[in-house]
């Protein structure tokens, strides 16, 4: 794990960009917003996502906040941005007396790919790298991800990168078109991740 | 505030249930500060003043009800009405749609079904009076008595989260989440 500067965000503890076989991953900058909005403006992309920005201004209002900038990465392929990733470091549940020990030990992750680049394993390649960043570069002990239960492609990525399904929340999530639907919670522990051959 | 929407107290066969007042807090503290009670609770309070401060700061005092038997407070209940997870465009419709519930009983009253009796009433309050559509309860997976209450209330286990909860003595251990939908409630 690289040395952390007091007050610095998790992304400051990683050397960027990070390269995989085919992709380049780095923190988002405002210069990426135009392209990222273009991807989120595709209705099928936001079908399962938290928000569907109504305009570019709306996109920047939601995703241009300091918290979002500190938890969003972009996926590059030969100079083109093909999607983005979420990596938010958080505190899992703990009893109050040991709260400090729990802080910053877990992350929630997510991913989003331009459908024009789908079907070639790019989302899996990028999400797997985010897991590696979480465990190797950030030294986290647990990573979680959530999805609507019917979001089959997202569940496939979770499975391929070694995440286990831990929970299914019955009709606990409200979808803009489908109403109350089931959600899936997946997780992987550092010890599980390290014990798998790669 | 949630509790203002209901008329109190509520009575069950053997108990009175009502929002906690300042006068109840010493009795609640007396229970909560017992190590065997605090084993599975969010905190092990040692100083009454610190505990009081924390209750006020976290807003927990506004989510606390007491169980009373013949004028004696025998434990407290937790009720937190909250927003459901919703996509941004339908967030309004998810507001205050679910609630998290919890409980804590004095050890000398255990084994008589008081918690189940009180919680059955709290579940009714949530579904009938507060219009909540889904209830959740969380616990450490090894907190067997609590899991039994959840099951008696008709709640279903939705998640077993591996080594996700940090316990002051046991380290990282498993957690569980149970839930109950209004449509599945047998009233």
């Amino acid at each position: 794990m690289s040395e952390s500067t007091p007050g610095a965000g998790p992304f400051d503890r990683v050397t960027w960009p990070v390269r995989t076989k085919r992709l380049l991953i780095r923190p988002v900058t405002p210069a990426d917003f135009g392209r990222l909005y273009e991807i989120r403006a595709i209705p099928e992309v936001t079908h399962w996502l938290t928000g569907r920005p109504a305009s570019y201004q709306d996109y920047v209002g939601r995703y241009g906040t300091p918290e979002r900038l500190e938890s969003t990465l972009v996926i590059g392929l030969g100079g083109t941005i093909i999607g983005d990733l979420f990596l938010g470091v958080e505190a899992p549940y703990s009893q109050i007396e040991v709260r400090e020990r729990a802080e910053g030990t877990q992350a929630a992750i997510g991913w989003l790919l331009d459908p024009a680049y789908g079907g070639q394993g790019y989302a899996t390649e990028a999400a797997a790298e985010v897991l590696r960043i979480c465990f190797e570069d950030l030294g986290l002990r647990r990573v979680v991800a959530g999805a609507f239960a019917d979001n089959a492609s997202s569940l496939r990525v979770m499975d391929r990168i070694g995440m286990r399904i831990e929970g299914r929340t019955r009709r606990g999530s409200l979808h803009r078109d489908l109403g109350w639907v089931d959600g899936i919670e997946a997780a992987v522990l550092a010890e599980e991740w390290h014990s798998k051959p790669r | 505030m949630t509790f203002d929407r209901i008329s109190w107290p509520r009575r069950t066969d053997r108990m009175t249930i009502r929002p906690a007042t300042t006068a109840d807090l010493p009795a609640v503290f007396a229970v909560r500060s017992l190590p065997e009670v605090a084993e599975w609770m969010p905190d092990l309070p040692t100083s009454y003043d610190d505990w009081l401060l924390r209750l006020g700061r976290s807003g927990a005092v506004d989510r606390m009800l007491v169980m009373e038997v013949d004028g004696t407070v025998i434990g407290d209940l937790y009720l937190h009405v909250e927003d459901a997870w919703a996509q941004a465009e339908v967030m309004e419709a998810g507001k205050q749609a679910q609630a998290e519930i919890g409980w804590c009983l004095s050890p000398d009253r255990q084994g008589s079904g008081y918690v189940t009796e009180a919680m059955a009433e709290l579940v009714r309050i949530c579904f009938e009076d507060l219009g909540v559509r889904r209830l959740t309860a969380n616990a450490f997976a090894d907190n067997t008595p609590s899991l039994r209450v959840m099951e008696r209330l008709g709640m279903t286990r939705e998640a077993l989260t591996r080594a996700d909860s940090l316990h002051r003595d046991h380290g990282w251990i498993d957690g569980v989440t149970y839930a109950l939908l209004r449509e599945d409630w047998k009233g």
Side-chain angles (χ1 to χ4, degrees):
Chain A
M1 191 158 79
S2 44
E3 199 73 16
S4 72
T5 318
F11 289 175
D12 297 324
R13 289 150 53 193
V14 180
T15 309
W16 305 104
V18 168
R19 286 170 208 283
T20 65
K21 224 168 110 196
R22 300 176 291 173
L23 306 171
L24 181 145
I25 295 169
R26 60 160 174 81
V28 70
T29 74
D32 301 315
F33 289 169
R35 172 62 184 140
L36 292 178
Y37 170 66
E38 196 176 277
I39 299 175
R40 276 185 204 250
I42 304 168
E44 67 178 281
V45 169
T46 47
H47 183 67
W48 297 122
L49 294 185
T50 308
R52 172 173 284 175
S55 65
Y56 178 71
Q57 282 70 27
D58 184 24
Y59 174 84
V60 174
R62 288 192 210 184
Y63 296 93
T65 63
E67 299 76 38
R68 273 286 173 171
L69 287 169
E70 283 166 20
S71 54
T72 304
L73 303 167
V74 294
I75 310 169
L77 172 71
T80 307
I81 303 289
I82 64 166
D84 65 57
L85 300 157
F86 174 77
L87 193 178
V89 175
E90 58 188 29
Y93 176 81
S94 69
Q95 287 180 324
I96 282 172
E97 296 76 19
V98 285
R99 187 165 283 173
E100 274 177 25
R101 267 177 57 204
E103 260 160 31
T105 61
Q106 174 170 298
I109 63 169
W111 46 86
L112 152 63
L113 190 75
D114 180 343
Y117 295 87
Q120 298 166 75
Y122 290 132
T124 301
E125 189 172 324
E129 189 62 16
V130 169
L131 269 193
R132 190 205 60 75
I133 291 168
C134 286
F135 292 128
E136 285 191 351
D137 297 344
L138 300 177
L140 303 181
R141 59 172 302 282
R142 190 168 190 271
V143 175
V144 300
F148 283 110
D150 285 341
N151 182 359
S153 64
S154 202
L155 297 190
R156 258 196 309 273
V157 172
M158 289 175 180
D159 182 54
R160 286 194 187 121
I161 66 175
M163 299 190 86
R164 279 176 293 105
I165 291 182
E166 288 197 330
R168 184 182 182 111
T169 51
R170 271 196 62 217
R171 303 193 63 221
S173 311
L174 187 55
H175 188 281
R176 64 176 83 83
D177 301 320
L178 308 172
W180 293 102
V181 293
D182 293 2
I184 291 290
E185 295 165 10
V188 58
L189 292 164
E191 65 211 56
E192 297 173 298
W193 185 83
H194 283 291
S195 70
K196 288 218 176 87
R198 244 170 305 275
Chain B
M1 232 163 39
T2 302
F3 293 165
D4 298 341
R5 292 157 54 193
I6 304 161
S7 60
W8 303 101
R10 297 284 286 239
R11 292 181 208 287
T12 65
D13 282 352
R14 297 177 290 171
M15 265 177 290
T16 299
I17 298 166
R18 55 171 178 78
T21 68
T22 314
D24 298 317
L25 297 178
V28 174
F29 177 78
V31 175
R32 296 282 203 107
S33 56
L34 297 170
E36 71 264 38
V37 170
E39 165 83 352
W40 301 121
M41 297 297 289
D43 61 340
L44 169 52
T46 48
S47 144
Y48 180 68
D49 291 342
D50 290 351
W51 178 73
L52 214 54
L53 212 63
R54 203 160 54 229
L55 269 191
R57 250 198 323 248
S58 67
V61 72
D62 298 325
R63 301 167 192 165
M64 187 186 281
L65 303 145
V66 290
M67 298 177 259
E68 210 175 46
V69 174
D70 301 328
T72 304
V73 171
I74 63 161
D76 68 283
L77 308 174
Y78 175 83
L79 169 61
H80 183 207
V81 179
E82 57 192 11
D83 300 343
W85 193 92
Q87 284 182 322
E89 299 74 23
V90 286
M91 205 170 267
E92 273 306 311
K95 283 213 187 309
Q96 307 285 292
Q98 66 181 37
E100 187 188 348
I101 54 176
W103 50 86
C104 179
L105 179 72
S106 175
D108 59 10
R109 301 288 186 147
Q110 275 162 19
S112 309
Y114 283 123
V115 170
T116 305
E117 185 176 323
M119 290 309 294
E121 185 62 19
L122 193 61
V123 169
R124 173 178 306 281
I125 289 169
C126 287
F127 289 142
E128 290 187 347
D129 300 318
L130 296 174
V132 160
R133 60 174 296 282
R134 185 168 179 270
L135 291 177
T136 61
N138 297 294
F140 285 111
D142 286 339
N143 182 0
T144 316
S146 225
L147 271 49
R148 262 203 298 269
V149 171
M150 295 174 189
E151 277 152 18
R152 279 196 203 110
L153 293 171
M155 303 184 86
T156 312
R157 181 183 289 198
E158 291 199 333
L160 172 66
T161 47
R162 264 187 70 189
D164 76 317
S165 306
L166 186 57
H167 188 282
R168 67 180 83 85
D169 299 318
H170 308 310
W172 292 101
I173 55 177
D174 297 352
V176 290
T177 302
Y178 278 68
L180 178 62
L181 289 167
R182 186 166 48 202
E183 68 213 51
D184 295 335
W185 178 53
K186 307 232 163 27

